[in-house]
Amino acid sequence: RSVSRGLGDVYKRQIKFYTLATAALCLGLTSCGDDFLTQEPASSVPVDGYYNTEAHIMESAVAAYDPMQWYDYFGGWAPLNLVWDSMGDDIYVGGGSTTDQGQIHKISQYRSDPRDNIGGAWSTSYSGINRSIRLIDNAETSNLPETSKNLFIIEGRAMRAWYYLVLWKTWGNVPYYEKNLVFPYVTRQYSADEVYAAVTADLEGVLDSKVLPMNQPDNWKGRMTQAAAAMIYADYVMYQADKSKYAKALGYLKDIINSHEYDLVSAAELWDVTNEWNKEIIFDVNYQSKGGKRSWGSANATGGTVLPEMIGVDGFWTSNPTPEFQSGWGFCAVSKEVYDAYEENDLRRDLGVLNIDKFIKDERAKGYDAGYGGRYQNTGYFLRKYLPRPGGNDGNVADGGLNWDYNLHLYRYAETLLNAAELALETGDASFAQDCFDKVRTRAGLDSKTVSLDNLIDERRLEFVGEGKRYFDLVRTGKAATVLKAGGGVVLKNKETMEWGGQAIPERETWNPNKKYIQIPQDEIEATASKGEEFAIKQNPK
C-alpha cells in the first residue's frame, strides 16, 4: 500500500483481530483440532484497552506475520524466489510469453516498468512493517510481565527488519520509519546505505539482547527466532559487502552452529513436503492447504500458496496411476547450464531440478507413457523443489490452485554454514571455513574441495537454485557485470524437434550497476510528488 496514501486505511484495518485459532494457522500450530481452520475473524472492537492480555497481543503478532503469505499472489503474482532468481542466470520466468506476467519478464530483462511492476510486494512489505510496529507499540503499552512484553517487542523489531530487507534488496532506496506515520502519512526516502545502517543497528540490539529463543517448539514454528534474526542480519551485511561487520555477523552465525538446535538433513528429506519443519529449516513462510481460503477474489485470505501451480510442468501427463507430479502453468524454467554445472553424483541435482526428458525416459522404462507441453522459455528443466504433487492441496475450501501446502524456505542451516564459511574466510579463519564448506558438500555426496570465495559462490549456486539467492550473490561479489549479459546466453529446447537452440531472454539488456534495483512503482512517485522536496520519492535509475 502506498506509504503516503494507504497507511491511514491500514490503521483502520488494525482494529480487526484474528481469533487464536487463526493465529495457530498463521504461525504453524500443528497440535490442534481440524475445526480451527474454519473459524472466522473476530468482529471489530475498540482498540483502547484491548491489548492487555497475552492472548490479545498474540493476535497483534499474527497480524504482523500475515503479510508474509501475500507476496506470491497479491497485486502482481510475485513469488519472491521467482522474481529475484529471474534477475540471475539460472531461472527464467517462462509462462506463455513475455506478456504472461509481463512485469516479471521486464524485471528479468532489466527493463522494469514503474507502471507495470510488482507493486503488491511493495504494499505487502509496508503492511508488514506497519503491523510489526503495531505489535511493538501494543506490547510496550500493555500490562504484560516484562519478560513477555520484551519478547513481543523484540519479535516485532526482527519482523520489521525482515520486511525492510525485501524492500531494500528489491528497490534499495525506500521510505524508512521506525514509528508508524501520522497524517498525512509521508516520510523521507532513505538511500539504500541509510536503510542498511538503520536496520543493522537495530538488529544488533535485537540479537545482543538474546531475548528471542534460538529455535521455536513445534507448535510455534514460523515465529521469529534468534537464528532467523541472525540470518537476516548476515543477509544485510553480506549483500552490503560491509567487511567492518563481517566478524560480528560471523559471531551470530557461530551461535547458531554451537547451539546444535539445527542441522543438515538428507537431501531427500529436505524437499519432502510432508516434513516441512525439519531440523534444517530456520525460517519459512508458512502455508497450509487444509482449510485454505485463498481464492481469485480474495488474494490475502489465509491458506496455501500458488507457487507450485505457477511452476508446475505445463501440460504434464502420464499413464502412471500414481504420478509423482501434477501439471501447472509452466513458469520458473531452470537453465540447462545450471543443471550441467552439477557433478554427476551430486545428490542435489535431480532432487532439486527435474530433467523432464530423463523423467519421461524413466517412466517408459517402467512401462508408462508420459509427456508435457513446453511453453515460452522451455528448457526441459523444472524446479522440482516446489513442483505440485498429488494431494498437496487437499483440504482447501476455496481455489485449489492457490492453496498448495508448501512452505517457502527463506533460510536454512545449509546457508548458515556457507555464510559462516565465507565470513570466516574473509576474516582469516580458513580452517573453520573449510569445515563448514565440507559439511555442505558431504551432505551432497561430494568430496572435499578447497574453500575459496569462487568455490563458495559456485556451491551456493548449486545448493540454492530456485531459492532466490543467485542474483544477489552475483551482485555482491562483483560478478554480475560479466555473468549477466544481454540475451541471457542460455539455450532453449524446441519441443517439436527436441533440439537445442535460441536464447532464453532475447530481450535482456546487459546488466550494469544501475540495474541493481528495480523501478519504484509509479503511483508511489506520484503520490508523494506534491508533498514537498523532503518527502517526494525519487525514482531509481534505469
Side-chain angles (χ1 to χ4, degrees), residues 16 22 58-59 66-67 70 79 125 141 167 245 249 256 327 344 355 373 422 436 471-472 495:
K16 292 191 175 181
T22 306
M58 183 62 70
E59 293 172 357
D66 192 41
W70 303 352
S125 299
T141 58
L167 290 164
K245 294 184 181 293
I256 300 174
S327 64
E344 188 63 32
N355 178 341
E422 186 174 335
C436 292
Y471 172 75
F472 302 114
K495 65 179 180 179

Side-chain angles (χ1 to χ4, degrees), residues 5 69 148 152 313 379 435 446 487:
R5 293 182 298 176
Q69 295 188 336
S148 298
F152 282 118
V313 182
T379 63
D435 181 61
L446 303 174

